């Protein structure tokens, strides 16, 4: 019971963190068709900016200011880089953002060094939310999940219930009509990219204090964020939330499962054969935990290439 409860909570919170990072990428691709390889670099920038700012203005002002600054950086990237290559197609956009991610990582190393920085949770937030099976569960980890849920609700309401959302969707699906109605479509795209980058910056500013803020944090989370977006469906906000929670729970439970496929096959009477075959069949599930999300992505692509909640062509 203890393993199930702790894994359920940890997996949910980890999944919500994945959503915080992937929400901006989903928004950018869904609205603009740009698959941004530098997205988790904005996540890293948000963490480092919050670390620097909190020493000057305090923790909460830094959490607010850092995502705004990252949003402006995203606007500059769209205006001066992506807009110039957008007409050449997705390959050029991928190459530009891929190169940009390396440049950002090197700049971070030049400014802060190639080692983690001391970005920590303030003492006022460093307490237990509750006690579970004799173990204190950090309040700040719960706060990460709450902020993620608030982010999801605000984005969903903005896109589906406000005039801004109507303009954004019309600029995507009917750009010529939107321009005829007097809307500046390039400006809308620039704003969407800036908001997406800002959301990643917010995730970094909030999560960087709990997890390690280091020059490799973009790489560590980057691949998993793309797995989330592919499984959920490119451009689907609801799909990103669903796949984030799924991956968070699967990863959390798998780490604690100390049995192999051969052990499981033993329940149906062919365990000895499986042990004799060896190989992958004898590996513990816990040792394969990091690869399970990728296997799930492969399965989803085979069965439903558009993703769980993506729109079919």
């Amino acid at each position: 019971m203890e393993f199930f409860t702790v894994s359920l909570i940890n997996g949910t919170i980890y999944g919500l963190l994945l959503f915080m990072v992937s929400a901006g990428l989903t928004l950018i691709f869904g609205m603009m068709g740009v698959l941004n390889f530098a997205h988790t670099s904005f996540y890293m920038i948000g963490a480092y900016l919050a670390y620097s700012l909190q020493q000057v203005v305090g923790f909460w002002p830094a959490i607010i200011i850092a995502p705004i600054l990252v949003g402006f950086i995203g606007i500059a990237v769209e205006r001066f880089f992506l807009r110039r290559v957008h007409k050449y197609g997705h390959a050029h956009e991928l190459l530009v953002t891929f190169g940009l991610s390396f440049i950002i990582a090197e700049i971070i190393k030049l400014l802060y060094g190639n080692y983690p920085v001391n970005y920590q949770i303030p003492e006022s937030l460093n307490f237990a939310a509750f006690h579970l099976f004799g173990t204190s569960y950090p309040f700040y980890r719960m706060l990460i999940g709450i902020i993620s849920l608030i982010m999801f609700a605000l984005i969903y309401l903005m896109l589906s219930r406000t005039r801004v959302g109507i303009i954004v969707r019309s600029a995507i699906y009917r750009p010529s009509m939107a321009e005829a109605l007097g809307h500046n479509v390039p400006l809308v795209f620039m704003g969407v990219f800036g908001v997406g980058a800002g959301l990643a910056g917010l995730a970094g500013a909030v999560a960087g204090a709990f997890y390690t803020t280091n020059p490799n944090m973009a790489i560590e989370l980057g691949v998993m964020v793309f797995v989330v977006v592919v499984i959920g469906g490119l451009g689907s906000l609801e799909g990103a939330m669903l796949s984030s929670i799924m991956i968070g729970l699967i990863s959390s439970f798998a780490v604690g499962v100390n049995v192999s496929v051969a052990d499981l096959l033993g329940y149906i009477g062919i365990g000895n054969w499986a042990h004799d075959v060896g190989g992958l069949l004898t590996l513990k599930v816990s040792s394969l935990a990091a690869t399970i999300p990728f296997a799930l992505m492969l399965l989803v692509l085979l069965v439903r290439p558009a993703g769980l909640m993506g729109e079919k062509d």
Side-chain angles (χ1 to χ4, degrees):
M1 185 63 184
E2 177 181 355
F3 166 72
F4 177 82
T5 306
V6 173
S7 297
L8 179 64
I9 297 174
N10 286 340
T12 302
I13 298 300
Y14 176 60
L16 290 172
L17 170 62
L18 287 177
F19 172 76
M20 286 183 70
V21 183
S22 63
L25 182 61
T26 300
L27 188 67
I28 289 171
F29 187 88
M31 300 297 144
M32 302 174 61
V34 175
L35 196 53
N36 179 19
F37 262 92
H39 186 73
T40 50
S41 297
F42 295 128
Y43 164 77
M44 179 171 64
I45 293 173
Y48 274 95
L49 284 178
Y51 161 71
S52 300
L53 290 169
Q54 60 96 23
Q55 301 178 52
V56 180
V57 298
F59 180 77
W60 286 112
I63 293 294
I64 297 171
I65 297 172
I68 295 174
L69 294 177
V70 175
F72 281 113
I73 293 173
I75 288 174
V77 168
E78 197 283 331
R79 175 63 182 84
F80 297 106
F81 294 94
L82 285 176
R83 188 176 298 184
R84 295 175 181 271
V85 300
H86 186 70
K87 59 184 177 181
Y88 298 111
H90 295 306
H92 287 74
E93 293 170 343
L94 290 176
L95 290 172
V96 167
T97 56
F98 188 70
L100 185 63
S101 66
F102 281 97
I103 293 173
I104 292 173
E106 292 304 315
I107 292 175
I108 290 293
K109 292 176 184 178
L110 286 173
L111 295 177
Y112 294 94
N114 193 16
Y115 48 81
V117 296
N118 190 29
Y119 184 26
Q120 296 183 351
I121 303 169
E123 288 298 323
S124 59
L125 297 175
N126 193 15
F127 60 90
F130 53 84
H131 296 278
L132 188 65
F133 300 105
T135 303
S136 300
Y137 200 85
F139 167 78
Y140 195 82
R141 178 173 282 185
M142 299 296 295
L143 181 63
I144 292 173
I146 293 170
I147 293 175
S148 178
L149 291 173
I150 293 173
M151 176 191 293
F152 172 74
L154 291 178
I155 297 172
Y156 180 80
L157 290 174
M158 182 193 73
L159 293 177
S160 61
R161 297 287 189 273
T162 66
R163 179 176 174 80
V164 173
I166 294 173
I167 294 173
V168 168
R169 282 182 285 132
S170 64
I172 300 305
Y173 297 109
R174 296 290 185 271
S176 58
M177 181 61 71
E179 284 185 326
L181 292 173
H183 300 296
N184 190 332
V185 173
L187 184 63
V188 172
F189 284 175
M190 186 171 65
V192 168
F193 195 92
V195 170
L199 292 175
L202 174 61
V206 173
F210 187 83
Y211 299 95
T212 304
T213 297
N214 64 85
N216 297 317
M217 62 190 299
I219 298 174
E220 293 167 357
L221 202 60
V223 177
M224 195 59 66
V225 167
F226 278 97
V227 172
V228 167
V229 174
V230 171
I231 292 176
L234 295 173
S236 172
L237 191 68
E238 298 90 338
M241 174 60 84
L242 175 62
S243 62
S244 295
I245 298 298
M246 284 177 56
I247 290 175
L249 292 174
I250 289 172
S251 300
S252 180
F253 278 98
V255 168
V257 178
N258 196 30
V259 297
S260 66
V261 175
D263 296 331
L264 295 176
L265 292 175
Y267 290 105
I268 58 176
I270 57 174
N272 292 333
W273 169 82
H275 280 288
D276 291 337
V277 172
L280 290 175
L281 295 179
T282 58
L283 290 176
K284 303 295 184 182
V285 174
S286 56
S287 64
L288 297 173
T291 64
I292 292 177
F294 299 97
L296 178 61
M297 180 181 70
L298 177 61
L299 178 62
V300 170
L301 287 174
L302 290 173
V303 176
R304 186 180 171 84
L308 295 177
M309 301 186 71
E311 296 182 2
K312 294 184 178 180
D313 293 333

